Amino acid sequence: MTLDIYQIDSFTNETFCGNPACVVPLREWLPDDILLKIAKENAVPETAFFIIENRNVKLRWFTPDIEMDLCGHATLAAAHVLFSILNYPNKKIEFSTISGILNVSLENNIYLLDFPSRMPVLAYLPEAIVNSLSIKPIEVLKARDYVLIYNSQKDIENIVIDRILFDSINISPGGVIVTSKGNDSDFVSRFFTPQATILEDPVTGSAHCSLIPYWSKLLGKQIMTAQQLSQRGGILYCENKGDRVLIGGTAKTFLIGQIMI
């Protein structure tokens, strides 16, 4: 069996930046264990698989470890493949996913992801996570992911994770977001996943389902710009829409090829 594959850098317009995702179009679903093996072989944070059925596109996401319930950068990558490479005819893509219908449109060369809002609430942080952080947060919140609030961008840049302690807890499919106000953007963040093959995710679209409503309320702004401060880095254009959020970004094609199973 031969399948087409595309590798896309999401939330950037530069190669080797943003968050890499592989995208594999299918005619029918392969067994889940094969999808997971493909994702593991690709060795990027997420692989997106989709099937086109009339105007609906069925979409699933796999890390090298598990199937995810929501992924922003791989959704953006799939939209980029459909719009920019496969000449998808409609102005908006309606993705059918485990998290419901997700719409993506392309406006002024920016992909706009319409995702659910997940306002975080006050929470208790497990001791293993507390002890694994070189800098402790000033506030702990949680939605799907833990959202740890810090005083400054410098704190976010300087946080070091003790992975042995960090990996002693399993919060799958969620992770740990660290965030603060930004120096050159409205807010910044980093994202870590315990017990995952890839500890730090380069740019995490789904984390902004919680970051956008939180910072929108705190800053009194509906439209914001965010930066993820990983080594690769990424820019996200954010809008709070009440029970939904808009997450915008650009993308760059890195690879077009085939895989053989």
Side-chain angles (χ1 to χ4, degrees):
M1 178 186 299
T2 301
L3 302 172
D4 292 333
I5 186 169
Y6 308 88
Q7 186 167 322
I8 310 298
D9 291 333
S10 296
F11 296 112
T12 184
N13 53 18
E14 298 180 43
T15 305
F16 309 125
C17 295
N19 201 351
C22 287
V23 180
V24 181
L26 300 172
R27 296 188 180 214
E28 60 183 19
W29 293 118
L30 301 176
D32 287 4
D33 66 317
I34 298 298
L35 298 180
L36 185 59
K37 286 178 180 178
I38 293 171
K40 188 182 293 289
E41 189 76 8
N42 290 339
V44 295
E46 302 267 355
T47 296
F49 300 91
F50 68 74
I51 295 173
I52 300 175
E53 292 186 354
N54 299 318
R55 295 192 175 188
N56 182 263
V57 182
K58 294 185 176 180
L59 177 67
R60 297 172 70 184
W61 313 276
F62 285 78
T63 74
D65 305 297
I66 61 171
E67 181 173 9
M68 289 296 293
D69 65 330
L70 187 65
C71 177
H73 88 277
T75 301
L76 192 158
H80 177 73
V81 169
L82 284 161
F83 277 132
S84 300
I85 301 174
L86 301 182
N87 299 313
Y88 189 76
N90 300 331
K91 294 182 179 180
K92 181 172 68 176
I93 303 172
E94 185 177 274
F95 287 113
S96 177
T97 79
I98 193 172
S99 290
I101 298 298
L102 305 175
N103 293 314
V104 181
S105 57
L106 179 59
E107 298 180 14
N108 299 318
N109 295 317
I110 294 177
Y111 297 96
L112 294 176
L113 285 60
D114 184 338
F115 272 26
S117 176
R118 294 172 167 174
M119 174 64 89
V121 298
L122 288 173
Y124 167 79
L125 190 64
E127 185 176 355
I129 297 179
V130 174
N131 293 337
S132 71
L133 300 168
S134 62
I135 305 173
K136 311 309 179 191
I138 61 172
E139 188 174 23
V140 176
L141 307 168
K142 192 176 188 302
R144 181 192 73 174
D145 309 304
Y146 284 100
V147 181
L148 310 185
I149 312 301
Y150 284 82
N151 280 316
S152 69
Q153 179 170 320
K154 184 177 180 181
D155 286 343
I156 304 303
E157 293 170 345
N158 291 337
I159 287 172
V160 176
I161 301 290
D162 181 327
R163 185 152 195 187
I164 293 176
L165 289 173
F166 195 65
D167 282 350
S168 67
I169 189 165
N170 184 359
I171 51 176
S172 176
V176 175
I177 308 164
V178 295
T179 184
S180 75
K181 290 182 182 179
N183 296 339
D184 301 310
S185 60
D186 290 294
F187 62 90
V188 297
S189 67
R190 292 171 70 190
F191 188 95
F192 304 93
T193 307
Q195 299 187 4
T197 298
I198 299 172
L199 172 64
E200 180 170 4
D201 193 45
V203 191
T204 316
S206 62
H208 289 72
C209 293
S210 295
L211 291 171
I212 291 172
Y214 172 81
W215 285 111
S216 176
K217 182 177 181 181
L218 194 71
L219 300 176
K221 300 175 69 173
Q222 302 306 309
I223 297 175
M224 299 167 288
T225 302
Q227 288 181 279
Q228 196 147 331
L229 301 178
S230 64
Q231 185 176 4
R232 292 175 64 101
I235 303 294
L236 306 96
Y237 306 99
C238 308
E239 184 172 356
N240 185 34
K241 304 282 285 185
D243 62 347
R244 308 289 295 181
V245 295
L246 291 183
I247 306 166
T250 54
K252 184 80 170 178
T253 302
F254 175 71
L255 176 150
I256 298 176
Q258 291 183 319
I259 56 178
M260 299 171 196
I261 303 174

